[in-house]
Amino acid sequence: DVKVTQSSRYLVKRTGEKVFLECVQDMDHENMFWYRQDPGLGLRLIYFSYDVKMKEKGDIPEGYSVSREKKERFSLILESASTNQTSMYLCASIGSYNEQFFGPGTRLTVL
Amino acid sequence: AQRVTQPEKLLSVFKGAPVELKCNYSYSGSPELFWYVQYSRQRLQLLLRHISRESIKGFTADLNKGETSFHLKKPFAQEEDSAMYYCALSGYNTDKLIFGTGTRLQVFP
């Protein structure tokens, strides 16, 4: 079974803090994704990566950056957290037949 | 523009009733369509994809290219079907998914 893990289930940060969200997958997948999930808005793609050190902006990259130093790990960085970044963050990797495997999510609250 | 539309935020039915969760899409080409499901306190997971043409947990979905729809159907809803359902689209030669806004299905006993 593919396993995608995320470093925290719940996170509370203050406005202006730098926030790191970590994601690890154990199936040697090349492509990884970061989404945010908001009620009424569905899932929106923030960034994705198709190889180590390669990244591409998704639909809502503003205020975020990413890092992929190793194939299994994809990090999402909030350079200066703001209250409108309070959300559920989902990481995914993609396997055969275009199936995306999701992590459990990190619920981030920015005060 | 590529878009996935799920017109219903909430769909409530009684156990044993038929269910249809609507999904319409906009895409200039031949997309690949998916339904993902998220049960309470569980991670988002693939339910079915149009290419495989299979029935999963009693659910089916047919791609109607003329109406650009991919509605999810089940003849007899069960309480355990209560969940959040997302329709998603993937374009040709890309791994990116475009998700709809989701429909919460509530099945009452």
Side-chain angles (χ1 to χ4, degrees), chain B residues 37-45 47 57 59 80-85:
Chain B
V37 60
Q38 188 169 29
Y39 301 102
S40 179
R41 302 182 188 279
Q42 294 187 27
R43 63 185 69 194
L44 194 63
Q45 59 187 291
L47 179 63
K57 299 184 179 184
F59 284 98
E80 55 264 31
D81 296 329
S82 295
M84 192 73 176
Y85 291 81

Side-chain angles (χ1 to χ4, degrees), chain A residues 35-49:
Chain A
Y35 298 90
R36 60 178 284 176
Q37 182 183 30
D38 299 288
L41 297 177
L43 275 75
R44 293 178 292 166
L45 182 63
I46 305 171
Y47 265 97
F48 68 101
S49 169

Side-chain angles (χ1 to χ4, degrees), chain B residues 87-108:
Chain B
C87 183
L89 172 156
S90 174
Y92 174 75
N93 210 26
T94 176
D95 292 333
K96 290 198 297 182
L97 284 177
I98 299 168
F99 283 87
T101 51
T103 298
R104 180 167 298 283
L105 174 64
Q106 289 183 332
V107 182
F108 294 109

Side-chain angles (χ1 to χ4, degrees), chain A residues 4 31 37 48 98 100 102, chain B residues 36 38 43 86 95-96:
Chain A
V4 181
N31 294 1
Q37 182 183 30
F48 68 101
N98 261 5
Q100 291 203 9
F102 286 85
Chain B
Y36 280 78
Q38 188 169 29
R43 63 185 69 194
Y86 292 96
D95 292 333
K96 290 198 297 182

